[in-house]
Amino acid sequence: MLCDVVVRETTEADMPAITAIYAEAVNAGAASLELKAPDLAEMTRRWRVRASKGYPHIVATSSGVVVGYAAARRHRPSPAHRFLVEDSVYVSYHAHGGGIGRALLGELIKLCEISKFRQMIALIGDGNVSSVKLHERLGFRQVGLIEGSAFKHGRWFDTLLMQRALGEGNCSLPQQN
């Protein structure tokens, strides 16, 4: 049982733990469809790029130890897609089933709404039932399936697309800056 769970903004000191958690996901299955786990320098570079562009990046800790993280990033480079973000949520295997993913994704959604994003999507590798259920519990719905979109661990994987509106979604025009 995890205790004293705190969700907070990521700091550079969290990057070794984040790198290890992500490596578990890359190496174990289809939660990540990368073929090789990035090293600490690459993970730190990715975090810095996202943070410098104002995309939320958070961690969950239990008794002061990082047990999961979540981040948003731009889905497409086109300026027309500037209100659309893609989420990533990864939880250390020893912390699965403890509500960490729900706490992280819930907070990530709130932060993205505060940042005036309007839609969030999740790209989920097939067979990741816990990720699908997590996203459904937080208001996502399936909007597509890309069959045979990734090849990893000697087999083809489908990619499930899920989506949820943030704030007013597409029911109003965004404020122009």
Side-chain angles (χ1 to χ4, degrees):
M1 175 92 179
L2 299 174
C3 53
D4 303 325
V5 174
V6 174
V7 176
R8 60 169 173 76
E9 189 175 336
T10 300
T11 68
E12 190 158 351
D14 300 321
M15 296 312 300
I18 288 171
T19 301
I21 290 167
Y22 188 64
E24 288 178 344
V26 170
N27 296 327
S32 166
L33 292 173
E34 287 198 67
L35 298 178
K36 183 179 178 207
D39 64 12
L40 176 60
E42 175 59 16
M43 290 296 288
T44 302
R45 184 196 68 75
R46 292 178 188 185
W47 165 69
R48 284 184 180 142
V49 166
R50 288 178 185 164
S52 72
K53 294 181 179 181
Y55 293 98
H57 201 294
I58 55 179
V59 296
T61 63
S62 176
S63 300
V65 176
V66 174
V67 293
Y69 76 97
R73 69 173 177 259
R74 192 169 193 156
H75 178 65
R76 298 271 198 166
S78 166
H81 289 101
R82 68 190 176 278
F83 297 103
L84 171 67
V85 290
E86 179 181 335
D87 76 71
S88 295
V89 179
Y90 293 97
V91 176
S92 179
Y93 283 110
H94 78 274
H96 278 198
I100 301 298
R102 186 177 184 127
L104 283 165
L105 185 54
E107 183 64 16
L108 188 67
I109 289 167
K110 288 178 194 172
L111 291 170
C112 286
E113 288 177 332
I114 290 167
S115 296
K116 305 298 184 200
F117 294 111
R118 294 295 193 94
Q119 300 289 331
M120 182 178 280
I121 62 168
L123 303 175
I124 301 171
D126 72 19
N128 196 340
V129 176
S130 60
S131 185
V132 172
K133 288 181 180 180
L134 167 64
H135 283 83
E136 286 175 342
R137 281 187 213 109
L138 291 172
F140 286 76
R141 62 186 173 80
Q142 183 176 337
V143 295
L145 180 70
I146 306 170
E147 297 175 345
S149 56
F151 188 81
K152 183 177 177 179
H153 299 311
R155 75 175 191 91
W156 290 103
F157 285 88
D158 297 339
T159 302
L160 176 68
L161 285 86
M162 299 186 79
Q163 178 180 350
R164 71 157 282 158
L166 298 173
E168 294 181 16
N170 62 353
C171 293
S172 66
L173 297 177
Q175 292 179 345
Q176 299 300 317
N177 295 333

